[in-house]
Amino acid sequence: MEVKIGIAKTNKYAVSECGDSVEIAERPRGGISVILADGQGSGRAAKNTSSLVVNKAASLIAEGARDGAVARAVHDYLYAMKDGKVSSTLTILSSDLDTQTILFSRNSNCPVLVKSLYGIEVFDQEVSPIGVHKRMKPLMHEMPLEVGMILVSYSDGIQAAGRKRGRVFDFNFLLRLLEKNEPRDVVFIAESILEYALELDDNRAGDDMTVIVMGICEAESHHKIRRISVSFPC
């Protein structure tokens, strides 16, 4: 079994700093997590907030904390650091090899889509962001880890794409994309979603945009080689 992760992101048009941050953390008992945070606002201030959130979450996961506890602890940390005046969304997608489960934690207005052998499920229950309410509870879901699964989530710049131009993001586009592609196609899926959102904004992103995709597939090799490929424009 092999876990594939695809990430695609861009900053708001004419803003040098992207307010979204993504981090990947290895789980100490086996597995990997991808963490997405969208800081309040845009630019440098939002970037500082989202970086603080994902770095704290990655550190806690690496230390062995469970995802639900991680979300609560990061909320408490942001609440204390910013005096409850700054919010952030937080989504954590995890493949836990110790328990042989997929689990994800949501404090975001954007959904998590899960493709499995039984079809596509959309998890979009309403939940508060972290950082501003004294009491916060993440929405947690856990399911058996199976080859063929794909998980997708994104920041609200994707969800809001086209609105300022009178266009509507077609959610069926995501469903068709998942139906047609396999877990090995995570990079293609992430880039396709981002490109579609940019088209709706006439290639001038109205907000920071990030897509994260996790796929579970058969291992390509018996050698346990970990690979990461990054493309970072300068």
Side-chain angles (χ1 to χ4, degrees), residues 89-232:
T89 65
L90 174 62
T91 301
I92 305 173
L93 308 181
S94 299
S95 57
D96 191 335
L97 301 185
D98 181 44
T99 61
Q100 289 294 298
T101 58
I102 284 287
L103 58 153
F104 52 92
S105 167
R106 280 184 60 241
N107 283 99
S108 172
N109 58 333
C110 297
V112 172
L113 290 79
V114 180
K115 177 184 177 181
S116 67
L117 299 175
Y118 308 103
I120 298 174
E121 293 184 85
V122 180
F123 297 86
D124 59 356
Q125 300 91 329
E126 186 174 344
V127 63
S128 299
I130 65 171
V132 291
H133 303 290
K134 192 171 182 63
R135 298 184 184 277
M136 186 284 305
K137 184 178 181 181
L139 286 178
M140 298 289 303
H141 295 275
E142 186 172 10
M143 56 193 67
L145 180 65
E146 297 176 345
V147 170
M149 298 182 79
I150 304 175
L151 289 82
V152 176
S153 194
Y154 42 83
S155 62
D156 61 2
I158 298 290
Q159 191 159 266
R163 288 182 185 172
K164 295 178 181 179
R165 293 165 174 81
R167 300 166 186 163
V168 178
F169 186 91
D170 183 6
F171 194 76
N172 288 323
F173 168 82
L174 298 183
L175 301 180
R176 292 193 298 270
L177 190 64
L178 284 179
E179 287 172 354
K180 293 178 180 178
N181 289 279
E182 303 298 326
R184 296 188 190 281
D185 303 323
V186 290
V187 173
F188 174 77
I189 294 170
E191 291 180 351
S192 295
I193 296 170
L194 181 61
E195 288 170 3
Y196 173 64
L198 284 171
E199 286 176 6
L200 291 175
D201 274 343
D202 293 331
N203 291 310
R204 297 184 176 186
D207 195 0
D208 303 310
M209 297 179 175
T210 304
V211 185
I212 55 174
V213 185
M214 177 180 287
I216 313 300
C217 55
E218 294 286 359
E220 295 178 350
S221 169
H222 294 297
H223 303 292
K224 294 188 176 181
I225 301 173
R226 294 166 171 82
R227 301 179 180 88
I228 295 178
S229 179
V230 177
S231 176
F232 192 91

Side-chain angles (χ1 to χ4, degrees), residues 3 5 7 22-28 30-36 57-58 61-62 65-67 70 91-96 103 212 214:
V3 181
I5 293 174
I7 299 166
V22 182
E23 189 60 77
I24 294 173
E26 286 193 56
R27 303 176 72 84
I32 195 165
S33 298
V34 57
I35 307 150
L36 167 61
I61 289 171
R66 291 178 292 180
D67 290 30
V70 169
T91 301
I92 305 173
L93 308 181
S94 299
S95 57
D96 191 335
L103 58 153
I212 55 174
M214 177 180 287

Side-chain angles (χ1 to χ4, degrees), residues 59-74:
S59 174
L60 291 168
I61 289 171
E63 291 170 2
R66 291 178 292 180
D67 290 30
V70 169
R72 289 178 172 86
V74 173

Side-chain angles (χ1 to χ4, degrees), residues 1-16:
M1 189 179 292
E2 191 167 285
V3 181
K4 301 278 191 182
I5 293 174
I7 299 166
K9 62 181 296 196
T10 192
N11 50 290
K12 183 178 179 179
Y13 179 71
V15 177
S16 59

